[in-house]
Amino acid sequence: MKTECIGMLLAGGEGKRLGMLTKELAKPAVYFGGKYRIIDFTLSNCVNSGIQTVGVLTQYSPLILNKHIGIGRPWGLDRQFGGVSILSPYTAKSGGRWYKGTADAIYQNFHFIEQYDPDYVLVISGDHIYHMNYAKMLDYHKRNRAEATISVIEVPLAEASRFGILNTTENGQIYEFAEKPEIPVSNLASMGVYIFNWQTLKSYLVKDADQLESDHDFGKNIIPAMLNDELRLFAYKFYGYWKDVGTVQSYWEANMDLLRKDKEISLEDREWRTYTHDNNYPPQYVEEGAKVTSSMINSGCWISGEVDHSIVFHNVEVQKGSRVSDSILMPGVVVGEGAVIRRAIIMEDVVIPPYSYVSADGNDEPLVMDQLKISLVTSE
């Protein structure tokens, strides 16, 4: 059966800059927002946009990510035709290897794409936080008779060197592109969301695969090659919330953004739901005398102390006299009596001993604490 557009979701990122958060799992599998994992946002975008065939390309520490995705039931992707497929590197009689780059990852999965005979391929990343209607982007791509369309967002010029930066004509056609330039020519940044005409992309991937000096990367190789051949490439401007949670600071900020009164992204949007697995824990309980302000508290939690401006995942216990502020508590955390947690990210199942003090200074990067680091702090 033919499918007009399929999604190829790149989810093999190691996320080195997230430190301990990605010690044993891929970046897209990191917990986020009190209930979700990072990849839930991109998968939900696909479903909400009518993209019902998605290949998830994994590589680094995929065990938890694979288990989380499963057969795709939370996103309605458990289908006989299409649905979600996990695509890991593999070997065959003709050989096999790790994915060498984003373009190589797509190239190695030709067989998956071809079975759906798509007109268009949506290439997306599994490690950004945003709500986006890909169907609107596809309509824009068709109207412009484009060979490729890149979703872009304006970023502060001081941060532009972290992104793929491009320039366009007044009608949105791209005439210049540079991947992470030292001196950016503009502040129009690629979001890592691409739509390609499949036959065009296929031909460029085949050429790129034979070039030994290539990085086999969309931003470094495929997009520049298309521009050099004067293909019709267009920029699709996105005006909503988008966050690359590639560092501990940006990850913490994105979680805290969910608590703002004037928040740009809402998990309560009934028209654009973010889906994930639901646990079977009972409702949270806030004990008499406890205090909760400007926070998200998930199911199974027992709050006896104070929680302010924090994200609290499921099955967390905050004991009497303890104070938690500007922090993220992952599933299973226990904050002992009288303990103080400020501007910290406490990892899964960590037990904070009574009367401990865990805090990052005002302008410092939030502390990320696992059980070993907690034991070192409390033994001093």
Side-chain angles (χ1 to χ4, degrees):
M1 292 177 64
K2 182 177 177 61
T3 301
E4 181 186 34
C5 181
I6 70 169
M8 297 295 282
L9 199 166
L10 302 169
E14 184 176 349
K16 289 182 180 179
R17 293 179 297 164
L18 285 174
M20 286 193 298
L21 292 174
T22 52
K23 183 179 179 181
E24 297 179 352
L25 74 170
K27 180 179 172 184
V30 172
Y31 285 113
F32 184 87
K35 180 177 180 179
Y36 309 93
R37 294 182 187 266
I38 293 173
I39 198 172
D40 292 338
F41 289 80
T42 314
L43 282 174
S44 298
N45 285 342
C46 287
V47 173
N48 290 330
S49 302
I51 306 294
Q52 298 176 345
T53 301
V54 183
V56 180
L57 288 72
T58 64
Q59 181 155 287
Y60 172 79
S61 294
L63 180 62
I64 300 298
L65 183 61
N66 292 355
K67 183 179 179 181
H68 177 68
I69 295 171
I71 61 174
R73 183 165 295 158
W75 307 273
L77 292 172
D78 49 335
R79 300 167 175 267
Q80 279 192 313
F81 180 82
V84 67
S85 299
I86 295 175
L87 307 172
S88 300
Y90 64 93
T91 58
K93 290 183 179 179
S94 57
R97 61 178 187 270
W98 291 111
Y99 298 144
K100 293 183 178 180
T102 54
D104 180 61
I106 304 299
Y107 174 76
Q108 288 198 48
N109 286 285
F110 270 13
H111 66 288
F112 172 78
I113 298 172
E114 293 276 58
Q115 66 181 320
Y116 297 103
D117 188 25
D119 296 319
Y120 309 101
V121 173
L122 168 71
V123 179
I124 44 183
S125 173
D127 52 10
H128 299 142
I129 304 300
Y130 66 116
H131 288 163
M132 181 179 179
N133 191 334
Y134 302 134
K136 290 183 178 180
M137 183 177 171
L138 181 58
D139 288 342
Y140 176 87
H141 177 86
K142 293 176 183 177
R143 288 198 309 271
N144 285 295
R145 295 177 290 108
E147 297 288 348
T149 297
I150 303 174
S151 185
V152 298
I153 193 167
E154 292 185 1
V155 298
L157 194 59
E159 300 178 15
S161 59
R162 294 174 44 213
F163 303 92
I165 297 298
L166 50 88
N167 262 326
T168 70
T169 62
E170 289 185 0
N171 70 345
Q173 187 164 353
I174 301 169
Y175 65 85
E176 187 176 18
F177 182 92
E179 182 70 9
K180 298 181 180 178
E182 290 185 14
I183 304 177
V185 295
S186 79
N187 69 335
L188 208 55
S190 167
M191 296 167 57
V193 177
Y194 311 101
I195 291 178
F196 296 97
N197 293 352
W198 169 234
Q199 293 304 320
T200 300
L201 176 60
K202 181 179 177 180
S203 66
Y204 276 86
L205 291 176
V206 170
K207 292 176 188 175
D208 179 75
D210 293 332
Q211 297 176 9
L212 298 179
E213 71 282 4
S214 174
D215 290 305
H216 309 293
D217 182 82
F218 281 107
K220 294 179 181 178
N221 308 108
I222 302 300
I223 300 300
M226 288 182 170
L227 281 176
N228 189 57
D229 291 341
E230 299 184 351
L231 267 59
R232 291 177 61 84
L233 274 66
F234 280 78
Y236 177 77
K237 285 191 176 182
F238 179 70
Y239 296 99
Y241 181 94
W242 179 84
K243 192 85 166 181
D244 178 0
V245 287
T247 64
V248 170
Q249 180 68 28
S250 63
Y251 171 81
W252 178 82
E253 288 175 354
N255 275 276
M256 295 300 107
D257 284 345
L258 297 173
L259 303 175
R260 293 174 54 176
K261 290 182 180 179
D262 60 341
K263 52 191 172 186
E264 299 177 73
I265 185 169
S266 174
L267 300 178
E268 292 82 33
D269 189 344
R270 292 176 180 268
E271 296 182 0
W272 200 269
R273 293 185 60 185
T274 302
Y275 300 94
T276 192
H277 289 275
D278 265 330
N279 57 60
N280 291 317
Y281 289 106
Q284 68 270 28
Y285 180 76
V286 180
E287 192 173 290
E288 183 179 357
K291 185 178 180 181
V292 177
T293 53
S294 303
S295 298
M296 288 184 176
I297 311 293
N298 207 339
S299 58
C301 292
W302 191 290
I303 310 298
S304 303
E306 295 183 14
V307 179
D308 176 54
H309 199 256
S310 295
I311 302 284
V312 181
F313 282 80
H314 57 268
N315 201 29
V316 168
E317 183 179 356
V318 178
Q319 296 179 358
K320 285 186 178 181
S322 59
R323 289 175 290 158
V324 177
S325 61
D326 300 321
S327 296
I328 302 167
L329 307 185
M330 293 189 176
V333 168
V334 176
V335 180
E337 183 177 349
V340 174
I341 311 295
R342 291 178 180 163
R343 198 178 165 84
I345 302 169
I346 311 300
M347 295 184 65
E348 191 171 6
D349 295 327
V350 169
V351 177
I352 309 292
Y355 305 103
S356 301
Y357 184 81
V358 179
S359 175
D361 293 332
N363 296 320
D364 287 351
E365 183 178 89
L367 293 175
V368 181
M369 307 296 287
D370 62 4
Q371 195 64 59
L372 175 61
K373 289 188 73 173
I374 289 293
S375 66
L376 293 174
V377 169
T378 56
S379 63
E380 291 178 355

